[in-house]
């Protein structure tokens, strides 16, 4: 594509060239007409002068000398002179043999002279073999017409004069065109140069390169346009930068949102989906973008909610269950989107994973039910035996002592249950401050042993403390003692007579891990994930018979987590269980140690 400067220059030169050419043609025509008119006037004057200054009747009497006289008259201006009789007979000619010339009575110029006293014509001359311009006047003496005097001049000579004029005009034309070309090029450069710079800046803006500007020169519209381009470039740079920052902020927010967001257009195709949606639904973003929601999401209940929004054009809220990639409960909020003309342009979906909320509600409900059940049992026992005593059994010493012992034991159990509930509540609410200090875990276990020696000896259990005496941990001593007292009591409770219980410890990169192992009845695989829940019992009959509250392992779990530690269990039914407690050396998660 030709440059603007070239097109402007070529356009100006072409326009002026055509104008000069038209002017030259016009001037040439005017020059030719002017020369012809002047020649006619000149020939007329010369003819009248000859008619008055020459004694034509005397020459008519001397025809033998007439032609020589005519040649003498015409030699100065190379004008052809012809003398014609009233009847049209040629009497003499300065340039040809008059005897060979025919009658001229019907010649155009002679006819005009006969009628009006002056004849003019431009025509082809057979005698001379060229075009001539003729002027004829009548010759009169004493009121009598004695003939016609005709003067003629070659048109070719006139054309040579006009041709020289054309050459002069051509030279002037070329010189003027050359000068104007230089001026046009300079003018076009002055116009096109800033426009080309502005075009370059506009292209850079189109390519999102906003650093370039146009140098403003002079004043006028182009300078104003240059300033406008510069302002637009700076303004666009700021706006694009702001848009980029907003887009990055939006993408960061969308990427890190816990809630899922889906944008659906008016045709039902997904235009936007964040990472949370992919996690919730187990579908990659690429598999959703551009597809119909019913094809991409593959959840009939959710697609129904979306269709309802498009149908009713109002907000919709619902709760759905999904089972892939894992079972979840999702709270769905869908709002329609409208364009400026109130036309429905799509819908936005916000998905909240409320699985944990529903689980906590279920756990809370189960906790209330379990706590009520656990509290009801000792209260019922106390009330029943108290009524029995009041009905007369208190007068029997043996029954009184037995019933009072049962009432005491049930009240003790009720007190332990209430205390465990209170302790668990304080731990969960972070109201139990920890006094961290370093101490020997071996010594802590040795302090626990006297508290459980009676139960150990009663069941004939072999207990081993195999922790290295020099191994230290940093924790709250009393809370740590409560952790391992619960774990050891739990191991004693579920270990049959003659079994074994061992406590070992290993120090690793992540901290110290203590293991409490027993050879008891073990835990079924289906119960492993729930044993740390409140009031959950693997063997409900044995737990209640032993006086357990069902909150021990829940308290242990929360105490360990309050130390930023971890607790987990490995068990095989019929072969025993192994509880692991990790006390971190550094407060960060690392790989768990492997016990032999």
């Amino acid at each position: 594509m030709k440059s603007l400067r070239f097109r402007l220059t070529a356009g100006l030169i072409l326009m002026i060239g055509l104008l000069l050419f038209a002017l030259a043609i016009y001037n040439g025509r005017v020059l030719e007409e002017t020369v012809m008119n002047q020649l006619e006037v000149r020939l007329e004057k010369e003819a009248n002068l000859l008619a008055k200054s020459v004694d034509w009747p005397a020459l008519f009497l001397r025809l033998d000398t007439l032609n020589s006289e005519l040649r003498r008259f015409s030699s100065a201006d190379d004008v052809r002179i012809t003398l014609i009789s009233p009847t049209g007979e040629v009497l003499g000619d300065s340039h040809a043999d008059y005897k060979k010339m025919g009658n001229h009575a019907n010649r155009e110029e002679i006819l005009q002279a006969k009628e009006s006293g002056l004849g003019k014509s431009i025509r082809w001359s057979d005698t001379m073999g060229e075009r001539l311009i003729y002027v004829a006047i009548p010759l009169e003496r004493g009121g009598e017409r004695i003939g016609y005097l005709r003067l003629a001049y070659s048109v070719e000579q006139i054309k040579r004069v006009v041709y020289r004029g054309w050459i002069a005009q051509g030279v002037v034309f070329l010189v003027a065109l050359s000068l104007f070309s230089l001026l046009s090029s300079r003018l076009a450069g002055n116009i096109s140069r800033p426009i080309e710079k502005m075009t370059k800046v506009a292209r850079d803006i189109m390519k999102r390169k906003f650093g370039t500007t146009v140098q403003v020169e002079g004043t006028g519209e182009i300078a104003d346009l240059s300033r406008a381009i510069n302002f637009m470039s700076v303004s666009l740079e700021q706006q694009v930068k702001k848009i980029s920052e907003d887009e990055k902020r939006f993408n960061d927010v969308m990427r890190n949102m816990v809630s899922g967001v889906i944008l659906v257009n008016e045709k039902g195709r997904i235009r936007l989906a964040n990472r949370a949606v992919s996690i919730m639904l187990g579908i990659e973003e690429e598999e959703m973008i551009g597809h119909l929601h019913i094809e991409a999401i593959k959840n009939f209940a959710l697609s129904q909610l979306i269709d309802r929004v498009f149908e009713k054009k109002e907000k919709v809220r619902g709760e759905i269950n999904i089972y892939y990639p894992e079972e979840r409960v999702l709270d769905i909020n869908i709002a329609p989107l409208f364009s400026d003309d109130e036309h429905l342009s799509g819908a936005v979906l916000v998905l909240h994973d409320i699985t944990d909320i529903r689980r906590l509600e279920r756990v809370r409900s189960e906790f209330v039910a379990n706590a009520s059940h656990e509290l009801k049992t000792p209260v019922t026992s106390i009330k029943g035996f108290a009524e029995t005593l009041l009905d007369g059994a208190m007068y029997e010493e043996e029954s009184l002592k037995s019933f009072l012992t049962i009432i005491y034991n049930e009240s003790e159990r009720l007190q332990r249950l209430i205390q465990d509930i209170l302790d668990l509540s304080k731990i969960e609410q972070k109201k139990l401050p920890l006094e961290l200090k370093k101490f020997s875990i071996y010594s802590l276990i040795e302090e626990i042993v006297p508290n459980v020696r009676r139960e150990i000896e009663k069941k004939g259990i072999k207990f081993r403390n195999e922790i290295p005496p020099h191994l230290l941990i940093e924790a709250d001593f009393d809370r740590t003692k409560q952790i391992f007292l619960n774990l050891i009591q739990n191991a004693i409770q579920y270990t049959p007579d003659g079994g074994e219980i061992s406590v070992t410890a290993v120090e690793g990169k992540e901290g110290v891990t203590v293991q409490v192992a027993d050879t008891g009845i073990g835990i079924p695989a289906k119960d492993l994930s729930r044993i740390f829940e409140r009031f959950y019992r693997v063997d409900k009959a044995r737990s209640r018979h032993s006086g357990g509250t069902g909150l021990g392992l829940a308290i242990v779990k929360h105490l360990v987590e309050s130390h930023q530690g971890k607790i987990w269990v490995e068990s095989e039914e019929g072969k025993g269980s192994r509880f692991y407690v990790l006390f971190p050396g550094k407060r960060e998660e690392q790989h768990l140690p492997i016990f032999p």
Side-chain angles (χ1 to χ4, degrees), residues 3-5 7-8 187-203 214-217 221-223 225-226 229:
S3 65
L4 176 63
R5 180 173 181 174
R7 284 180 282 139
L8 277 175
L187 178 62
N190 293 336
I191 296 173
S192 65
R193 196 177 299 112
I195 294 177
E196 288 171 354
K197 291 179 181 179
M198 285 186 279
T199 303
K200 182 179 181 301
V201 172
R203 287 175 180 163
V214 184
Q215 183 177 356
V216 180
E217 297 178 356
E221 290 80 0
I222 293 180
L225 182 59
S226 299
I229 290 286

Side-chain angles (χ1 to χ4, degrees), residues 30-271:
V30 170
L31 175 64
E32 186 175 355
E33 290 179 4
T34 301
V35 171
M36 295 289 285
N37 291 333
Q38 288 179 352
L39 183 60
E40 287 180 354
V41 172
R42 173 190 161 193
L43 291 176
E44 183 182 353
K45 288 180 179 180
E46 289 183 357
N48 289 323
L49 181 62
L50 285 173
K52 293 178 181 179
S53 61
V54 176
D55 186 5
W56 295 106
L59 286 176
F60 286 168
L61 297 175
R62 295 183 289 115
L63 294 176
D64 55 340
T65 61
L66 179 61
N67 283 294
S68 61
E69 289 295 325
L70 292 176
R71 283 193 291 272
R72 184 173 65 83
F73 293 152
S74 67
S75 61
D77 297 324
D78 199 22
V79 176
R80 181 187 174 191
I81 303 174
T82 306
L83 190 63
I84 302 169
S85 69
T87 60
E89 182 183 357
V90 178
L91 301 177
D93 192 278
S94 63
H95 286 68
D97 185 0
Y98 71 93
K99 295 177 181 181
K100 297 180 180 180
M101 299 170 64
N103 191 286
H104 282 38
N106 293 325
R107 297 293 191 270
E108 182 181 351
E109 63 276 3
I110 299 302
L111 292 174
Q112 291 179 10
K114 186 184 294 185
E115 293 179 1
S116 61
L118 177 64
K120 297 179 182 179
S121 68
I122 301 173
R123 59 182 177 78
W124 178 262
S125 172
D126 293 330
T127 303
M128 301 302 296
E130 62 178 336
R131 284 175 60 82
L132 299 176
I133 179 169
Y134 294 97
V135 173
I137 62 172
L139 294 175
E140 296 179 351
R141 280 294 183 268
E144 183 183 357
R145 184 167 293 181
I146 61 174
Y148 298 95
L149 179 63
R150 187 183 71 178
L151 276 66
Y153 197 83
S154 174
V155 174
E156 292 299 324
Q157 292 186 10
I158 298 173
K159 286 185 177 180
R160 282 193 289 271
V161 173
V162 174
Y163 178 72
R164 287 194 295 271
W166 276 106
I167 291 176
Q169 284 194 103
V171 172
V172 173
F173 171 78
L174 291 175
V175 172
L177 190 62
S178 299
L179 291 174
F180 190 78
S181 297
L182 293 174
L183 292 174
S184 298
S185 178
R186 188 176 184 85
L187 178 62
N190 293 336
I191 296 173
S192 65
R193 196 177 299 112
I195 294 177
E196 288 171 354
K197 291 179 181 179
M198 285 186 279
T199 303
K200 182 179 181 301
V201 172
R203 287 175 180 163
D204 288 342
I205 292 173
M206 184 175 64
K207 297 175 183 177
R208 303 188 72 174
K209 297 178 182 177
F210 302 102
T212 55
T213 55
V214 184
Q215 183 177 356
V216 180
E217 297 178 356
T219 58
E221 290 80 0
I222 293 180
D224 293 340
L225 182 59
S226 299
R227 294 186 186 94
I229 290 286
N230 291 340
F231 177 78
M232 182 180 69
S233 177
V234 174
S235 178
L236 280 176
E237 182 179 16
Q238 294 174 350
Q239 291 181 24
V240 169
K241 184 178 180 181
K242 186 177 183 302
I243 291 172
S244 298
E245 291 175 353
D246 291 344
E247 184 179 1
K248 182 179 182 302
R249 232 180 272 120
F250 173 77
N251 291 333
D252 290 341
V253 170
M254 291 291 291
R255 192 181 304 111
N256 295 289
M257 280 182 67
V258 177
S259 301
V261 177
I262 300 176
L263 182 64
V264 181
N265 67 8
E266 69 277 8
K267 296 181 180 179
R269 294 190 179 273
I270 297 175
R271 290 303 180 199

Side-chain angles (χ1 to χ4, degrees), residues 208-493:
R208 303 188 72 174
K209 297 178 182 177
F210 302 102
T212 55
T213 55
V214 184
Q215 183 177 356
V216 180
E217 297 178 356
T219 58
E221 290 80 0
I222 293 180
D224 293 340
L225 182 59
S226 299
R227 294 186 186 94
I229 290 286
N230 291 340
F231 177 78
M232 182 180 69
S233 177
V234 174
S235 178
L236 280 176
E237 182 179 16
Q238 294 174 350
Q239 291 181 24
V240 169
K241 184 178 180 181
K242 186 177 183 302
I243 291 172
S244 298
E245 291 175 353
D246 291 344
E247 184 179 1
K248 182 179 182 302
R249 232 180 272 120
F250 173 77
N251 291 333
D252 290 341
V253 170
M254 291 291 291
R255 192 181 304 111
N256 295 289
M257 280 182 67
V258 177
S259 301
V261 177
I262 300 176
L263 182 64
V264 181
N265 67 8
E266 69 277 8
K267 296 181 180 179
R269 294 190 179 273
I270 297 175
R271 290 303 180 199
L272 176 68
N274 66 349
R275 187 168 58 184
V277 172
S278 299
I279 296 172
M280 290 179 188
L281 303 180
I283 307 171
E284 295 297 329
E285 293 180 34
E286 296 77 12
E287 298 176 11
M288 290 186 282
I289 304 300
H291 293 83
L292 292 171
H293 64 83
I294 194 168
E295 297 175 353
I297 298 174
K298 299 176 183 178
N299 186 287
F300 183 70
L302 182 55
S303 295
Q304 272 192 320
L305 292 175
I306 297 173
D307 292 337
R308 193 187 304 169
V309 169
F310 282 107
E311 181 183 347
K312 295 185 176 181
K313 298 182 180 181
E314 58 184 24
K315 293 181 180 180
V316 171
R317 182 176 182 180
E319 190 173 300
I320 65 170
N321 292 286
I322 60 172
Y323 303 96
Y324 180 84
E326 61 183 68
E327 187 174 355
R328 295 177 187 270
V329 181
L330 301 181
D331 178 57
I332 311 296
N333 290 272
I334 310 177
L337 301 177
F338 297 95
S339 58
D340 293 337
D341 57 355
E342 298 301 321
H343 175 71
L344 183 66
S345 61
V348 61
L349 291 75
V350 180
L351 289 68
H352 300 285
D353 187 351
I354 58 173
T355 307
D356 291 338
I357 296 175
R358 292 292 179 262
R359 183 182 60 80
L360 290 173
E361 289 176 352
R362 186 180 67 254
V363 169
R364 185 182 297 112
S365 177
E366 291 177 356
F367 174 77
V368 172
N370 290 333
S372 300
H373 180 73
E374 294 294 334
L375 290 170
K376 181 180 179 182
T377 301
V379 170
T380 302
S381 296
I382 292 171
K383 181 181 179 182
F385 286 111
E387 289 177 349
T388 303
L389 289 174
L390 290 173
D391 286 341
M394 63 178 178
Y395 298 109
E396 299 176 7
E397 185 177 349
E398 186 176 345
S399 297
L400 176 62
K401 184 176 180 181
S402 175
F403 290 169
L404 288 176
T405 301
I406 294 172
I407 291 173
Y408 176 79
N409 290 335
E410 290 297 329
S411 64
E412 281 285 322
R413 181 184 169 196
L414 183 61
Q415 183 180 5
R416 286 197 304 273
L417 178 61
I418 294 172
Q419 187 61 47
D420 284 349
I421 292 174
L422 291 174
D423 289 345
L424 184 60
S425 176
K426 289 179 180 179
I427 294 169
E428 287 181 340
Q429 295 177 17
K430 312 295 182 184
K431 291 185 177 180
L432 287 177
L434 300 179
E435 296 181 6
L436 300 179
K437 62 180 179 180
K438 289 188 176 182
F439 56 87
S440 169
I441 188 65
Y442 174 84
S443 301
L444 182 137
I445 299 300
E446 287 299 312
E447 284 193 19
I448 293 174
V449 172
N451 297 332
V452 296
R453 180 170 284 117
R454 183 177 178 183
E455 290 87 349
I456 291 173
E457 291 175 350
K458 182 179 179 181
K459 299 183 71 172
I461 294 173
K462 185 178 179 181
F463 182 87
R464 299 194 308 273
N465 181 3
E466 297 178 345
I467 299 176
H470 65 275
L471 189 60
L472 303 179
I473 64 170
E474 185 177 11
D476 185 295
F477 187 86
D478 292 335
R479 303 305 170 193
T480 306
K481 185 175 180 180
Q482 187 177 359
I483 291 170
F484 288 105
L485 178 59
N486 273 283
L487 291 177
I488 292 172
Q489 285 178 335
N490 192 70
I492 293 170
Q493 178 181 340

Side-chain angles (χ1 to χ4, degrees), residues 483-484 487 506 510-517 523 528-529 531-532 553 556-557 560-561 564-571 577-584 589-595:
I483 291 170
F484 288 105
L487 291 177
V506 176
E510 67 282 358
V512 176
T513 302
V514 182
Q515 173 187 270
V516 178
I523 303 170
L528 282 176
S529 61
I531 62 170
F532 294 107
L553 289 180
V556 167
K557 178 177 179 291
V560 171
E561 290 178 348
Q564 299 183 15
K566 291 182 179 179
I567 182 169
W568 69 100
V569 62
E570 296 175 357
S571 182
S577 304
R578 295 174 300 279
F579 284 83
Y580 300 92
V581 180
L582 168 65
F583 292 94
E589 181 178 346
Q590 308 216 0
H591 294 293
L592 303 178
I594 300 176
F595 280 82

